Amino acid sequence: ETVRAYQAAHGPAILRDFATLLAIPNVASDRTGIEANAEYIQAQMRAVGITTELWRIPGVSPAIYGALDSPGATRTLGIYVHYDGQPADPSNWTHGPWEPTLYNRAMPAGGQPIAMPEDGAVIDPEWRIYARSAGDDKAPLGALIPVMRALNEAGITPTANLRFFLEGEEEAGSNNLEAYLSSHRTELDEIDAWLFFDGPVHQSGRPQITFGVRGVTGMSLTTYGPRRPLHSGHYGNWAPVPGQLMADLLASMKNGDTGEVLVEGFYDTVEPLGEMERAALASAPDYDRELQYELALGGTEGSPASLAERLLLPSLTVRGLSSGNVGALARNVIPSTAEAALGIRLVKGNQPGHMMDLVEAHIRSQGYHIVYEEPSDDVLRAHPKVIRVSRDSGYPAARTEMDHPAVQPIIAAARRATDQEMVLLPAMGGSLPLYLFTDMLGKPALIVPVANHDNNQHAPDENLRVANLWYAMDLYATLLTAR
């Protein structure tokens, strides 16, 4: 109630402050932008009473650590947020990725840009703010700071000791996260449970809590044809076509009708669900038909299995394809190479290296000679089919038991933040480095998402619905003051 009153009185300022944060470029590989974000966020946290410091590893994006103790608290909650974002091509955006723009409703619904509200203005919760990281993952910061300010002004202290860990390279694979956590075990061992503030609510619009995430890895593939591009009239039907080779190889990996991955052993290491997790899955909202309509899909992989069921299996996705040109730039040429980027999402039980080994074994079964560097002419002459493989690093999936005693008060508190029935799911489809917290630190972790499901995460015109920002404030206020 206190936070809602603050929101009603200061809503325009909350949106303007959020826009200021969103305007700071935060591509994970841009050290200058990441440093600017870290300094700004650290100042905002300190202004609401959180003791902060920047943890550093030479040549690496800083992690922001914060601590806030409450007198008489008997437990300590860890809060994870990442402040870095995905790259963005401005030519694909309606407005610049770091030019936060407010709309009176979603663009696909005919929304139009409007000015940021002045103090005293009435805010429509259906407004949307468009900018990179509006949904993933600066939304929690846009809600958390005003929540803390509201509690401070009302003299309300959190009921748990709080520890904040804000990562600056999640979108780049969290390659240095383990080093950060290992070197600061003393500060982190006192945490009883972790809350990951990331991700979207359920596609039905209902709030949700998930108990795990999929792991992630991937690989890049390059097939080879003639050493130089050839005229397709003079050499077509004779010279191998790299694009065709790649298309055939990718088609061999997956059943186009059922969506089943045909790589031998791909599903063998999947860890089965427990009884409570199966019950949660059975009680999840049946929203697939509405989602298919929204996305204009005439069918789905694995039908009639639901989206929630499919997310509990490892997946193999072609993230990108390239060979030659299309459209007005298409030429009568057989290109020298074709490239594909594969994404592999992992579930509990899968290990990144093992899953990539399986894919490579499948590639060899299709007659390919695998190399890991650019092949020489002699290598190309010696083998009819050569492919270069470049592996991503990645990390495994993680999942907390749904009946873990440390998470039950958190679930109960989250339910009090909404008048809708909370959706509880064993895991969400996206990936986070959760395993380092559950496996290495040995602590339970929950994902508490707040963004709208249609926030265009990682894509052009990423956005956050204002109603979801308000929900985030409600949720955080309830979680931080729960008894």
Side-chain angles (χ1 to χ4, degrees), residues 71-75 156-160 409-410 412-413 416 478-483:
T74 58
R75 60 184 180 134
I156 298 174
T157 57
T159 51
I410 299 170
R416 291 195 294 272
T478 306
L479 290 174
L480 300 186
T481 60
R483 296 191 181 278

Side-chain angles (χ1 to χ4, degrees), residues 325-337:
N325 299 97
V326 297
L329 295 178
R331 296 166 295 156
N332 296 323
V333 164
I334 298 173
S336 294
T337 60

Side-chain angles (χ1 to χ4, degrees), residues 44-57:
Q44 293 292 302
M45 293 173 69
R46 284 178 171 172
V48 293
I50 302 170
T51 301
T52 67
E53 57 184 284
L54 295 183
W55 288 349
R56 292 189 179 277
I57 296 173

Side-chain angles (χ1 to χ4, degrees), residues 84-166:
D84 64 314
Q86 285 274 327
D89 181 352
S91 66
N92 295 327
W93 285 65
T94 304
H95 306 278
W98 293 280
E99 298 172 11
T101 306
L102 192 63
Y103 269 66
N104 60 1
R105 58 184 181 275
M107 286 182 183
Q112 296 296 317
I114 57 176
M116 283 288 170
E118 299 292 334
D119 290 346
V122 176
I123 293 177
D124 184 342
E126 292 304 318
W127 288 354
R128 299 206 182 198
I129 187 165
Y130 283 82
R132 171 55 88 223
S133 296
D136 181 22
D137 188 32
K138 287 184 175 180
L141 298 173
L144 187 60
I145 297 300
V147 164
M148 293 303 303
R149 190 176 293 120
L151 295 179
N152 288 344
E153 291 184 6
I156 298 174
T157 57
T159 51
N161 297 323
L162 303 178
R163 300 293 180 264
F164 301 86
F165 182 89
L166 278 61

Side-chain angles (χ1 to χ4, degrees), residues 269-293:
T269 56
V270 174
E271 185 175 300
L273 297 177
E275 182 177 343
M276 192 171 183
E277 293 160 327
R278 290 195 299 271
L281 194 63
S283 65
D286 182 7
Y287 196 73
D288 281 27
R289 184 171 299 178
E290 291 85 349
L291 190 59
Q292 270 188 253
Y293 182 84

